[in-house]
């Protein structure tokens, strides 16, 4: 049973178009993937739901008493919900709004402290106008606030809204508060009074996040000899069809996108699949396939026949089932955590050549799928998955590069698994 004091309210701070929602989603996705109950409470959504879309810039004028009162009411409704959720089921609530004045933040701190919830302020500051401009055009004009509004009118209105917020903006500076300031999309990060393992993890994520948009490709290795025989694990070489896939993959990236790096596991089938690439390649043990322990090298039928208790335990809880002397999916998630931070640090396009279980876990992180779903994500052979992270998750495209490999029944876990 967790004490209430372990509950955390993360208060986002920043002018409009500073990437607060992008950051909040990133933190939320990361925490959920690590198995924590995290949820975003976005004040803009509360406003749209209760007061309607298309509020003009004047509504956000700090000198407009009606607008200010209405905004205060929706902000408090979102805060009440966040604190109630933390009291009942949540661990980390992300309170996504501008929270741009000291008075507003003092109020949030007081409300949270009253119910034993710790507060971390995460402020996004941009001195670089280029970043703000990119945020405005890439995300804000697609915001529900401007649906159906001509781009030039939306742009002028949104710029006016930013100016109005600037008039009252006060940066977080109180040395007694717990805060992280992310400056110019992560070029500089200031950390103040952050204590405890969970907050330390969030800070590690923020320290490593570059917030640049770039493509990540995921692929399993080409078909291996073990795949042909329906055997799991092992360290076998590619089959002839697997070799064809390796060639097709190399050709698909000809010419390679600028800055492309290739990451593989340390297993022979993954390294062979990437060997036609002339760009920098890095081998990571963290990308090695789930360790099937005593079942390594067996078919699913053999496991069901020789160790029916293992087969049914796995079918009952595939996420937590740990192969004797091997790993569970949750173990795979844990060992991938440092790799995720490394991936977040990269600013160039990255191709990851790995294995079914590991790619399922990575995919869940990248698209924001709950970790419970990851053992069941479809991850067929000879298919290239292209992911472009955005503020809401990832845009996704799957390309079959050679003729489809029919996964034989012996290559599939028993139904329900
Ligand atoms: O069958 C190929 C494989 O990569 C095995 O090495 C691994 O044990 C398995 O897939 C993981 O998939 P599942 O968790 O569905 O058994």
């Amino acid at each position: 049973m967790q004490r209430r004091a372990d509950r955390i309210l993360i208060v986002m701070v920043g002018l409009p178009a500073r990437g607060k929602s992008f950051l909040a989603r990133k933190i939320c996705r990361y925490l959920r993937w690590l198995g924590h109950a995290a949820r975003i409470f976005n004040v803009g959504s509360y406003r749209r739901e209760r007061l309607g879309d298309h509020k003009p810039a004047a509504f956000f004028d700090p000198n407009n008493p009606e607008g200010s009162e209405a905004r205060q009411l929706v902000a408090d409704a979102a805060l009440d919900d966040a604190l109630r959720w933390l009291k009942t089921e949540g661990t980390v609530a992300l309170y996504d709004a501008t929270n741009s004045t000291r008075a507003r933040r003092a109020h949030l701190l007081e409300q949270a402290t009253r119910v034993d919830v710790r507060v971390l302020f995460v402020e996004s500051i941009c001195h670089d106008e280029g970043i703000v401009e990119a945020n405005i055009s890439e995300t804000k004009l697609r915001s529900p606030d401007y649906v159906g509004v001509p781009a030039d009118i939306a742009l002028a209105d949104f710029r006016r809204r930013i100016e109005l917020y600037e008039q009252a903006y006060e940066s977080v500076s109180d040395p007694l508060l717990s805060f992280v300031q992310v400056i110019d999309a992560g070029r500089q990060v200031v950390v103040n009074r952050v204590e405890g393992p969970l907050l330390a993890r969030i800070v590690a994520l923020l320290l490593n996040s570059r917030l640049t948009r770039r493509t990540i490709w995921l692929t399993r290795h080409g078909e291996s000899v073990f795949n042909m025989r329906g055997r799991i694990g092992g360290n076998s070489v590619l089959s002839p069809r697997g070799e064809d896939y390796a060639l097709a993959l190399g050709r698909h990236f000809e010419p390679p996108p600028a800055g492309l790096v290739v990451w593989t596991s340390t297993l022979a089938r993954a390294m062979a699949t990437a060997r036609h690439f002339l760009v920098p390649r890095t081998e990571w043990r963290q990308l090695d396939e789930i360790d099937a322990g005593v079942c390594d090298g067996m078919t699913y039928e053999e496991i069901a026949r020789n160790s029916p208790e293992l087969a049914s335990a796995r079918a009952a809880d595939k996420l937590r089932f740990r192969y004797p002397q091997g790993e569970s999916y949750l173990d795979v998630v844990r060992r991938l955590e440092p790799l995720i931070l490394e991936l977040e640090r990269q600013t160039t396009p990255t191709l990851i050549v790995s294995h079914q279980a590991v790619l399922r876990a990575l995919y869940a992180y990248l698209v924001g799928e709950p970790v419970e779903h990851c053992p069941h994500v479809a991850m067929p052979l000879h298919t290239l998955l292209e992911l472009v992270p955005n503020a809401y998750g990832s845009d996704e495209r799957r390309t079959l590069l050679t003729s489809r490999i029919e996964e034989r029944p012996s290559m599939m876990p028993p139904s329900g698994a």
Side-chain angles (χ1 to χ4, degrees):
M1 181 71 182
Q2 252 179 335
R3 286 177 304 115
R4 281 236 214 100
D6 292 326
R7 308 294 159 112
I8 296 164
L9 181 72
I10 297 187
V11 175
M12 305 306 297
V13 178
L15 289 166
R18 264 56 181 178
K20 295 183 299 298
S21 298
F22 187 83
L23 270 179
R25 288 197 171 92
K26 195 180 261 291
I27 298 170
C28 187
R29 194 155 52 95
Y30 182 63
L31 291 173
R32 280 191 185 163
W33 185 73
L34 291 173
H36 299 289
R39 190 170 147 190
I40 296 177
F41 293 81
N42 179 288
V43 174
S45 306
Y46 276 70
R47 166 173 53 76
R48 282 183 287 272
E49 218 166 82
R50 293 173 186 215
L51 308 173
D53 304 339
H54 301 314
K55 286 282 170 227
F59 176 77
F60 300 90
D61 186 339
N63 299 313
N64 166 359
E66 280 125 58
S68 300
E69 196 188 321
R71 285 196 292 128
Q72 176 95 21
L73 283 176
V74 286
D76 282 341
L79 178 66
D80 287 349
D81 284 355
L83 294 177
R84 198 169 314 121
W85 181 73
L86 284 174
K87 200 170 167 188
T88 49
E89 50 193 299
T91 305
V92 180
L94 292 115
Y95 184 69
D96 185 12
T98 51
N99 300 311
S100 53
T101 62
R102 259 185 226 124
R104 181 70 202 154
R105 294 193 293 269
H107 172 71
L108 296 171
L109 189 63
E110 190 203 312
Q111 297 294 309
T113 312
R114 209 193 301 188
V115 287
D116 270 345
V117 165
R118 289 165 68 195
V119 176
L120 171 73
F121 294 97
V122 175
E123 181 175 16
S124 177
I125 301 171
C126 291
H127 303 303
D128 182 336
E129 273 307 310
I131 297 175
V132 177
E133 283 306 311
N135 277 344
I136 293 177
S137 49
E138 274 173 39
T139 57
K140 271 299 158 184
L141 297 182
R142 286 197 257 153
S143 140
D145 279 351
Y146 294 110
V147 174
V149 179
D152 53 339
I153 297 181
L155 204 62
D157 184 81
F158 190 61
R159 287 194 203 290
R160 178 74 191 127
R161 195 197 291 185
I162 297 177
E163 275 167 27
L164 289 166
Y165 270 105
E166 271 166 349
Q167 287 173 17
Y169 191 77
E170 293 164 311
S171 190
V172 181
S173 54
D174 182 345
L176 294 177
L177 297 178
S178 277
F179 66 82
V180 181
Q181 288 171 320
V182 179
I183 300 164
D184 286 336
R187 272 180 218 148
Q188 192 188 354
V189 179
V190 176
V191 180
N192 189 68
R193 287 182 84 109
V194 176
E195 285 151 23
L198 193 52
L199 289 186
R201 278 177 141 157
I202 296 168
V203 170
L205 176 72
L206 294 173
L207 283 172
N208 285 286
S209 292
R210 287 294 163 271
L211 308 183
T212 34
R213 266 159 242 274
R214 48 68 197 250
T215 307
I216 296 170
W217 291 272
L218 305 180
T219 181
R220 285 172 71 184
H221 52 82
E223 184 193 57
S224 69
V225 171
F226 258 34
N227 288 146
M228 280 170 66
R229 298 182 182 148
R231 302 204 170 274
I232 65 170
N235 195 12
S236 65
V237 295
L238 295 182
S239 73
R241 283 200 294 188
E243 291 289 359
D244 286 349
Y245 181 69
L247 280 171
L249 187 65
R251 270 198 303 269
H252 184 80
F253 283 91
E254 228 18 89
L260 178 72
V261 292
V262 178
W263 290 4
T264 72
S265 75
T266 64
L267 296 172
R269 56 195 185 278
M271 292 195 290
T273 305
R275 76 174 184 283
H276 301 295
F277 284 85
L278 297 174
V279 302
R281 277 185 271 154
T282 312
E283 291 143 25
W284 298 88
R285 279 188 73 89
Q286 285 103 322
L287 289 174
D288 286 0
E289 181 54 308
I290 188 169
D291 181 350
V294 297
C295 297
D296 189 78
M298 294 164 92
T299 64
Y300 292 114
E301 284 87 355
E302 285 166 356
I303 300 172
R305 202 171 47 241
N306 304 340
S307 316
E309 69 297 345
L310 293 186
S312 55
R314 190 162 202 254
D317 188 355
K318 196 174 173 188
L319 179 70
R320 288 175 191 80
F321 169 82
R322 178 179 286 144
Y323 284 108
Q325 294 169 40
E327 289 178 303
S328 66
Y329 268 86
L330 277 184
D331 294 330
V332 171
V333 166
R334 271 180 218 118
R335 80 155 127 103
L336 281 173
E337 203 187 335
L339 187 110
I340 290 291
L341 295 181
E342 192 56 35
L343 191 59
E344 289 289 354
R345 261 168 23 86
Q346 302 286 318
T347 51
T348 53
T350 308
L351 165 68
I352 299 179
V353 184
S354 177
H355 307 264
Q356 178 152 250
V358 169
L359 291 176
R360 283 173 171 158
L362 275 177
Y363 175 86
Y365 171 74
L366 291 168
V367 304
E369 282 265 343
V371 74
E372 286 75 21
H373 294 182
C374 88
H376 310 284
V377 169
M379 196 56 70
L381 282 169
H382 297 189
T383 306
L384 181 66
L385 241 128
E386 182 178 316
L387 299 171
V388 185
N390 60 37
Y392 306 97
S394 276
D395 297 324
E396 173 177 338
R397 197 166 61 174
R398 288 180 181 236
T399 313
L400 182 68
L401 287 187
T402 59
S403 57
R404 174 164 295 288
I405 298 260
E406 292 305 333
E407 304 255 2
R408 283 172 283 281
S410 59
M411 289 169 71
M412 317 245 251
S415 65

